[in-house]
Amino acid sequence: MQPDIDIQLILFQIIEEKINDPDRTTAEMMELLCIEKRSLRNRQRGTTYLTGPEFYRLARHFDIRMYDIERQLQQRAAAEARPEKLSGFAPQTVLSIDSSYIPLLRLEFTDLQQYIEALCEEMETLASRDSPWVKMVCSEVPLFHLVGFEQLAFFKIFMYYHHIVDERITFEEFLRKVKHFDLSLRFRTIFESYAAIGSEEIWDRHTFEKLLRLIDECYVYGKFEQQETVEGLLAEVDELVKYLNPIILEGKKIKGAWIELYDFESVMREGITLMGVGNKPKKAFFTLFMLQNVSTTHPEILSFLERVFHAILRRSNLMVKSSSRLKSKFLNLLSEQAMQYRNKILKSHE
């Protein structure tokens, strides 16, 4: 058995032992992960990797701790008398998972300031290292891109707070409340640090559109006080499309760092971010909801998520090496989506 898949298989084993009702367990997991039975079976056999968020969702739903998995791994290692032990190498001890997140739940937004400052420091430190890299499965446009477009960055953050903290708040009211934190300078630092770091990013045909849908949703439900505000956001959307053109065509960021953007032809439901130096991943983030991430530096989980990333990568097309026709098709899709939502929103104002 491959060590990096042990955690996944033991997770399913514990779930089955804990519930002791195969039909119920299967139904709950299919609903929880939004997948069909065949896809679930592939995950249970280990032929398909769980994504980080899927792993977290199952563990949370069935109340399984990393300690439970650690204990099973240690028992299995002792029972199987692994070759490493026979040849003089002790089996690797599995430590409790090192995970953390900043709870973004306060309307005074001090937690948001802490979140942005921590991300800024993280990116500055990574950019200063030799051969830094970022790998992302992008179910939504990453904040690393949006911070180059101030109002779009604030809008993505606002949407999180709107859904989780206060449904009554408008976008302009949110801007007034966070203005004194002077986050714009932090945005610029994050954007420039990201532009100096090589990255691999997997997008699908809905990654960009999800941002547009949120703008449309806010417009429909009256979350903009002024028409000029939504028009300003749409103008930045157009700038974002222009910014993405050379990234897709040439595979370079504005600071000269390389970027390999992949087109995943199916639909991605979750987001994963891996950060590393040289050939070693150092930290991973997986998205719980929109802006909210859980981070981990646990080596087993890092290895697991890196394999998940490459499993998705193998089913994707590298844009910079794709034909001119495919590149044009992808770029035209972005432009068409932007135009479609612009016309829809502005027409409703007439």
Side-chain angles (χ1 to χ4, degrees):
M1 185 184 299
Q2 297 178 8
D4 61 283
I5 203 68
D6 285 4
I7 294 175
Q8 175 172 324
L9 298 182
I10 288 175
L11 173 68
F12 283 116
Q13 177 186 330
I14 295 173
I15 292 172
E16 291 170 4
E17 292 172 353
K18 192 167 189 176
I19 304 301
N20 198 26
D21 184 342
D23 292 338
R24 174 192 160 192
T25 305
T26 297
E28 286 189 23
M29 289 193 289
M30 287 170 58
E31 181 178 0
L32 196 64
L33 302 181
C34 301
I35 57 177
E36 298 177 350
K37 183 178 288 188
R38 183 178 63 178
S39 297
L40 176 62
R41 292 289 181 243
N42 288 338
R43 286 161 171 77
Q44 290 175 312
R45 288 192 295 264
T47 55
T48 298
Y49 282 92
L50 285 169
T51 66
E54 285 176 344
F55 182 95
Y56 179 85
R57 195 176 297 148
L58 288 172
R60 181 179 58 181
H61 179 78
F62 291 104
D63 192 24
I64 297 170
R65 300 164 298 168
M66 283 304 296
Y67 170 76
D68 300 321
I69 296 175
E70 174 188 351
R71 184 175 57 187
Q72 290 271 14
L73 283 168
Q74 290 173 338
Q75 289 174 353
R76 179 176 292 179
E80 292 180 354
R82 292 183 172 181
E84 298 97 313
K85 187 173 182 180
L86 297 175
S87 59
F89 294 95
Q92 182 180 358
T93 301
V94 180
L95 304 176
S96 297
I97 187 169
D98 171 20
S99 65
S100 62
Y101 78 104
I102 298 174
L104 302 174
L105 297 171
R106 301 182 179 88
L107 274 178
E108 62 268 26
F109 301 111
T110 51
D111 48 4
L112 174 61
Q113 182 181 28
Q114 181 187 0
Y115 177 95
I116 296 298
E117 287 178 352
L119 184 59
C120 185
E121 181 179 354
E122 189 91 51
M123 295 303 289
E124 280 190 299
T125 300
L126 184 62
S128 68
R129 305 289 296 276
D130 291 332
S131 304
W133 52 260
V134 175
K135 299 178 181 181
M136 293 189 284
V137 176
C138 306
S139 57
E140 301 177 24
V141 179
L143 191 62
F144 296 139
H145 290 292
L146 295 182
V147 286
F149 307 87
E150 185 176 310
Q151 293 305 299
L152 287 179
F154 276 123
F155 177 73
K156 180 164 185 175
I157 296 168
F158 159 73
M159 285 306 302
Y160 169 85
Y161 276 93
H162 165 68
H163 283 291
I164 297 297
V165 183
D166 184 3
E167 291 184 349
R168 298 167 298 178
I169 192 170
T170 65
F171 181 47
E172 287 88 345
E173 182 182 359
F174 168 79
L175 291 176
R176 291 191 290 269
K177 287 180 179 290
V178 301
K179 183 178 180 181
H180 68 282
F181 290 125
D182 199 20
L183 297 178
S184 300
L185 292 176
R186 299 292 187 187
F187 287 172
R188 176 51 54 178
T189 300
I190 293 170
F191 184 68
E192 291 182 352
S193 296
Y194 161 78
I197 298 169
S199 65
E200 293 177 278
E201 302 179 19
I202 306 172
W203 292 37
D204 67 24
R205 305 304 172 93
H206 303 284
T207 299
F208 182 69
E209 186 182 12
K210 287 178 183 176
L211 177 65
L212 301 172
R213 286 180 180 175
L214 290 176
I215 297 175
D216 181 46
E217 175 187 320
C218 282
Y219 190 80
V220 169
Y221 289 100
K223 295 303 174 183
F224 297 116
E225 297 172 14
Q226 303 291 330
Q227 178 68 16
E228 291 80 4
T229 303
V230 69
E231 290 179 0
L233 283 173
L234 293 172
E236 285 202 348
V237 166
D238 293 338
E239 292 301 313
L240 177 59
V241 173
K242 292 178 184 177
Y243 153 83
L244 290 171
N245 266 258
I247 284 178
I248 293 169
L249 293 174
E250 302 168 17
K252 287 188 178 180
K253 302 181 183 180
I254 60 171
K255 290 286 185 177
W258 58 269
I259 175 171
E260 294 183 350
L261 195 148
Y262 291 80
D263 173 25
F264 183 68
E265 294 186 351
S266 186
V267 178
M268 296 182 298
R269 295 182 176 88
E270 312 293 356
I272 300 172
T273 299
L274 284 157
M275 295 179 177
V277 176
N279 61 357
K280 293 183 179 180
K282 298 294 185 182
K283 180 175 280 192
F285 299 83
F286 48 92
T287 304
L288 299 183
F289 179 76
M290 297 181 74
L291 196 67
Q292 185 64 76
N293 296 307
V294 166
S295 67
T296 180
T297 56
H298 190 288
E300 290 278 357
I301 300 296
L302 291 178
S303 174
F304 174 75
L305 290 177
E306 190 168 29
R307 285 181 174 269
V308 170
F309 177 84
H310 286 287
I312 299 172
L313 195 73
R314 287 193 295 271
R315 299 175 58 198
S316 308
N317 300 313
L318 176 57
M319 294 305 301
V320 74
K321 290 188 177 180
S322 296
S323 65
S324 298
R325 183 182 63 83
L326 285 177
K327 290 178 185 176
S328 297
K329 184 178 179 181
F330 191 85
L331 288 170
N332 288 339
L333 177 65
L334 300 183
S335 298
E336 288 167 5
Q337 288 174 342
M339 182 62 69
Q340 175 190 349
Y341 279 87
R342 169 183 285 278
N343 292 340
K344 181 181 178 183
I345 293 170
L346 297 184
K347 184 177 181 180
S348 65
H349 178 64
E350 295 175 355

